[in-house]
Amino acid sequence: MGPNAGKTDGTTTFSRVAPEAGLLLGAGRAILMQLAHPQIGTAIAQHSDFASNPLSRLIHTLGYIYALSNGTAQQQRTMIDYVNKAHQDVRGTRNETAGTPAYSALDPRLQLWVAATLFDSARVIAEQILSDDLALDEGLYQHYSLLGDALQMPVDYWPATLHDFDLYLEKTLAKVRVTDQTRQLAEELFTAPEAPWWIRAGLPLMRDVTIAQLPAAVREAFGFELGEKVLRRNNRTIAVARFATRWLPRAIRHLPMKLMLRHVDRMNHS
């Protein structure tokens, strides 16, 4: 675990920003950016229950973020151990016939991309709904390195500055590749037939927001169209989220984090 992982006293920008419920609007964006990475997309398709339970990755990712940003030392350890165990057997060799690459979930380069998608999606949404100018906040950027550093990613894998990060992001986005299989997984994320009805009811809107917020390279790789209807629904949703983030009490805005940390506590006692 990185040297800053225990700083959960609410004094860092990371611990203040990460609990904001409005940032959940970037969750689908981050997941699709991960699916669009050839190795990560292949690993998810072949080793996870994404097809039958597409929201499980989101739930455990949120638990991990909230634990590292605002959790206790025990909650952090619970999530780190869970993720390490889940990644232990996720590996595969190159398949020339299928055209799939070799991969390992313990590869620090892949962990870097996962952490990068989480930071980039958080800052994209935060810039639209929060009053602070977080797009240029080096402190927030450096704290997001904890999401990879707490696993196997060496500290020096995280680009040194925001400028370096943007260069890395541009370079990696140029390599995205979406297969029929990962395209189907993306569609299942936004239908989630096994999810409760109240979650399924909001997924069409989440789909439109995700499409509007995706980097152009990823959106085009998945074959999504950025039509007027999608843009209108995204703009209205962002406007509502911006209003809610500025005027709702913090206890309501941070409720998803509190619920997820309770879930982490139950994981520790199960």
Side-chain angles (χ1 to χ4, degrees), residues 159-226:
T161 67
L162 268 170
H163 175 70
D164 294 328
F165 176 85
D166 287 334
L167 294 176
Y168 161 75
L169 187 70
E170 181 180 6
K171 181 179 178 181
T172 308
L173 286 173
K175 301 176 182 178
V176 298
R177 182 172 64 85
V178 173
T179 65
D180 290 341
Q181 190 174 36
T182 49
R183 189 172 291 108
Q184 179 62 33
L185 290 178
E187 290 299 331
E188 288 166 349
L189 175 65
F190 297 119
T191 56
E194 301 301 321
W197 69 267
W198 49 272
I199 291 181
R200 295 199 309 274
L203 290 177
L205 180 60
M206 176 59 81
R207 183 181 190 274
D208 286 346
V209 172
T210 298
I211 291 172
Q213 299 291 336
L214 278 173
V218 178
R219 184 168 55 243
E220 292 166 5
F222 277 103
F224 294 133
E225 294 185 6
L226 188 58

Side-chain angles (χ1 to χ4, degrees), residues 3-214:
N4 297 319
K7 293 184 178 180
T8 58
D9 58 0
T11 61
T12 69
T13 308
F14 183 38
S15 61
R16 178 173 61 83
V17 171
E20 292 291 343
L23 297 189
L24 293 175
L25 292 175
R29 181 185 190 272
I31 292 176
L32 262 61
M33 289 175 71
Q34 293 165 27
L35 282 174
H37 189 290
Q39 291 170 287
I40 296 175
T42 300
I44 292 174
Q46 296 185 355
H47 289 272
S48 78
D49 62 349
F50 196 98
S52 61
N53 187 13
L55 295 180
S56 63
R57 184 175 182 86
L58 171 61
I59 290 171
H60 289 109
T61 298
L62 290 176
Y64 185 69
I65 294 172
Y66 292 145
L68 264 66
S69 65
N70 289 76
T72 65
Q74 181 58 58
Q75 289 167 336
Q76 292 176 8
R77 177 47 54 193
T78 296
M79 287 310 304
I80 291 169
D81 289 347
Y82 171 86
V83 174
N84 279 329
K85 183 177 180 180
H87 285 175
Q88 192 170 15
D89 297 322
V90 179
R91 61 175 65 90
T93 57
R94 180 177 178 82
N95 186 321
E96 296 285 354
T97 302
T100 55
Y103 59 86
S104 168
L106 300 180
D107 186 337
R109 294 168 300 178
L110 303 188
Q111 293 176 350
L112 168 60
W113 179 242
V114 171
T117 67
L118 297 174
F119 165 72
D120 189 58
S121 296
R123 72 166 172 170
V124 164
I125 300 299
E127 187 176 11
Q128 298 172 75
I129 69 171
L130 299 181
S131 56
D132 298 337
D133 183 7
L134 297 171
L136 302 176
D137 192 315
E138 288 282 352
L140 176 64
Y141 168 67
Q142 295 299 337
H143 274 89
Y144 261 87
S145 69
L146 297 175
L147 300 181
D149 178 30
L151 300 176
Q152 288 83 17
M153 188 192 82
V155 177
D156 58 5
Y157 268 54
W158 193 246
T161 67
L162 268 170
H163 175 70
D164 294 328
F165 176 85
D166 287 334
L167 294 176
Y168 161 75
L169 187 70
E170 181 180 6
K171 181 179 178 181
T172 308
L173 286 173
K175 301 176 182 178
V176 298
R177 182 172 64 85
V178 173
T179 65
D180 290 341
Q181 190 174 36
T182 49
R183 189 172 291 108
Q184 179 62 33
L185 290 178
E187 290 299 331
E188 288 166 349
L189 175 65
F190 297 119
T191 56
E194 301 301 321
W197 69 267
W198 49 272
I199 291 181
R200 295 199 309 274
L203 290 177
L205 180 60
M206 176 59 81
R207 183 181 190 274
D208 286 346
V209 172
T210 298
I211 291 172
Q213 299 291 336
L214 278 173

